[in-house]
Amino acid sequence: MKIRYRYWACQLGGWGLFTYLWNNIRAGDGFAFRTDVFGDTDFYSAWFIGVLSTHLLYLYLRKQQLQRYRLGAVFMKVWGAVTLSSLLIVLWLSGISIAEDGGWHNFFSSADKSLKNTGGLETPVAIGLIFLAVWFVWHLVVWAWVILYFSLLQGRFKRIELENENRLKQAELDNLKTKLNPHFLFNALSSIRSLIGENPGRAQQAVAELAEVLRSAMLSEHHQLIPFGKELEVVQHYLAIEKIRFEERLNVHYTIDPAIHTQTMPPMLLQTLVENAIKHGISKLAAGGEIRIAAVLEGKQFVLRVENTGQVSEERSGGGFGIQGTLKRLALLYGNKAFFTLHNTAQQTVCATVKLPAA
């Protein structure tokens, strides 16, 4: 249902219900559900006046754009509008009463007879006090309408704000993914290119492994989170390519808890850490080295560790685009619930650790 239709449904339904309940109160009789009020013109008059006066108030709030602020921030402006709206309601209702009595003179005479036992107050004073009392009651009623109106609108604005934040976050994540995938592909193709002249047979084998990597990557293209088992398959195919390239210079060891294959994680996360380990670690060493990949549960955290032979300088500790993209993705997806560290160890290795909330 469109917003304007919901607004009118609430206006007509809300004021209709309020007026029905209000007209079912009888002095001395208490409250009871009666159907005779639907034959009373006062019921329809009050209904119409309530809808009209608050609609005018609504138009004022829209024109001044006050509904976009918290009620406390625009209280004085809203209070003035509520005062005028409630005064307008009382004046209209009073005018209807005067017209039903046949004019002001008849109304005053009728009030004079009804107010003989007011403790000596003159009729104009008594009428004025009653007018103020009725105005105060309607003042509270209109305030209730305003509070409800602001509450519903603020809730809607909050939802729109969250939806816009989610869209922005999704767009930024998609942008990072579109950059990470070519980044990975460039590294893989560079490895294969180096094999073409040296060993065409191994290059063909590497192309086959790359095809498997791309197939797995495409399956996770439209997901922000994938099972760890799927990510591990991509990494294993990628390492198979690099193993062809580095031969005995690259050794890989896995420490994987079988129970965590269903844990979810951002796609290309482990892949990026492994790429970083090879590009800035293994490929820099003439004798090569080893990569140790560990994935375990530590309490309520899912922990990934990639450790490679070598040392990282302070200038490189921030990482290249791959690491920076990883940090941004973790912040967007998990906020302050995810952690990333990259540091040298005493064993002359570099350890990259990612901690995610366990699924």
Side-chain angles (χ1 to χ4, degrees):
M1 185 184 293
K2 293 184 178 179
I3 295 175
R4 64 174 180 271
Y5 296 145
R6 289 202 299 266
Y7 165 77
W8 281 112
C10 291
Q11 275 284 80
L12 296 174
W15 275 110
L17 178 61
F18 172 80
T19 309
Y20 173 75
L21 297 176
W22 180 268
N23 279 270
N24 270 288
I25 298 175
R26 295 289 189 267
D29 294 339
F31 177 82
F33 290 101
R34 299 179 175 86
T35 58
D36 60 323
V37 297
F38 296 114
D40 189 352
T41 57
D42 288 341
F43 167 77
Y44 297 101
S45 298
W47 186 5
F48 173 76
I49 290 171
V51 171
L52 178 60
S53 59
T54 50
H55 182 62
L56 293 175
L57 176 59
Y58 161 81
L59 294 177
Y60 168 77
L61 296 175
R62 286 288 301 272
K63 183 177 181 180
Q64 298 295 322
Q65 295 188 342
L66 300 181
Q67 78 278 9
R68 295 187 174 274
Y69 301 91
R70 290 183 297 103
L71 184 55
V74 292
F75 176 80
M76 292 306 298
K77 288 185 178 181
V78 176
W79 179 79
V82 169
T83 300
L84 290 176
S85 295
S86 55
L87 181 61
L88 188 62
I89 290 174
V90 177
L91 289 175
W92 274 336
L93 293 175
S94 299
I96 291 174
S97 297
I98 292 172
E100 288 177 344
D101 285 345
W104 170 254
H105 180 73
N106 291 338
F107 174 80
F108 189 86
S109 299
S110 177
D112 186 44
K113 293 178 182 178
S114 302
L115 297 172
K116 285 183 178 180
N117 299 320
T118 56
L121 289 176
E122 295 183 0
T123 300
V125 176
I127 291 176
L129 292 175
I130 294 173
F131 182 89
L132 289 175
V134 174
W135 168 80
F136 179 73
V137 171
W138 279 104
H139 187 78
L140 295 179
V141 171
V142 176
W143 262 119
W145 182 93
V146 167
I147 292 172
L148 181 61
Y149 174 70
F150 268 80
S151 298
L152 294 175
L153 270 188
Q154 290 301 317
R156 176 172 171 265
F157 288 146
K158 189 66 176 178
R159 288 194 299 273
I160 292 175
E161 183 180 347
L162 289 174
E163 288 174 0
N164 289 337
E165 288 180 0
N166 288 335
R167 290 193 188 99
L168 182 62
K169 183 184 293 186
Q170 183 70 36
E172 191 167 353
L173 283 168
D174 290 342
N175 182 49
L176 286 169
K177 284 172 64 178
T178 58
K179 290 181 179 179
L180 282 171
N181 288 340
H183 177 268
F184 145 73
L185 185 59
F186 173 79
N187 288 342
L189 288 175
S190 296
S191 298
I192 295 173
R193 182 183 61 182
S194 65
L195 291 173
I196 293 176
E198 300 174 4
N199 193 326
R202 286 183 177 272
Q204 290 180 352
Q205 185 181 350
V207 170
E209 292 290 352
L210 178 59
E212 289 298 320
V213 173
L214 295 177
R215 181 186 64 81
S216 299
M218 288 176 63
L219 292 176
S220 61
E221 178 69 24
H222 302 292
H223 300 280
Q224 295 299 350
L225 296 173
I226 63 171
F228 169 75
K230 294 293 184 182
E231 176 75 358
L232 185 60
E233 288 181 14
V234 176
V235 170
Q236 288 173 332
H237 286 303
Y238 172 74
L239 285 172
I241 297 173
E242 297 295 18
K243 183 67 176 175
I244 295 172
R245 173 188 173 192
F246 288 99
E247 297 181 335
E248 300 303 322
R249 294 173 57 214
L250 174 62
N251 294 296
V252 182
H253 304 278
Y254 297 93
T255 304
I256 307 296
D257 183 350
I260 66 171
H261 279 261
T262 57
Q263 288 288 324
T264 56
M265 60 177 294
M268 307 298 289
L269 174 59
L270 181 59
Q271 169 70 31
T272 301
L273 299 182
V274 172
E275 281 185 55
N276 195 65
I278 291 178
K279 182 177 180 181
H280 301 295
I282 306 302
S283 64
K284 304 289 185 182
L285 304 173
E290 63 180 21
I291 293 178
R292 296 184 178 274
I293 300 173
V296 296
L297 283 177
E298 294 182 359
K300 295 183 179 180
Q301 290 184 315
F302 171 39
V303 181
L304 290 171
R305 289 190 179 91
V306 176
E307 190 173 353
N308 65 274
T309 307
Q311 293 282 276
V312 63
S313 64
E314 292 185 3
E315 292 78 8
R316 294 295 309 173
S317 61
F321 170 76
I323 297 300
Q324 293 301 319
T326 296
L327 292 173
K328 289 182 180 179
R329 294 170 74 201
L330 291 177
L332 288 169
L333 286 168
Y334 300 103
N336 59 1
K337 296 181 180 179
F339 305 92
F340 174 80
T341 59
L342 180 68
H343 64 277
N344 294 320
T345 72
Q347 290 74 36
Q348 296 298 304
T349 62
V350 179
C351 183
T353 304
V354 175
K355 295 184 178 181
L356 308 175

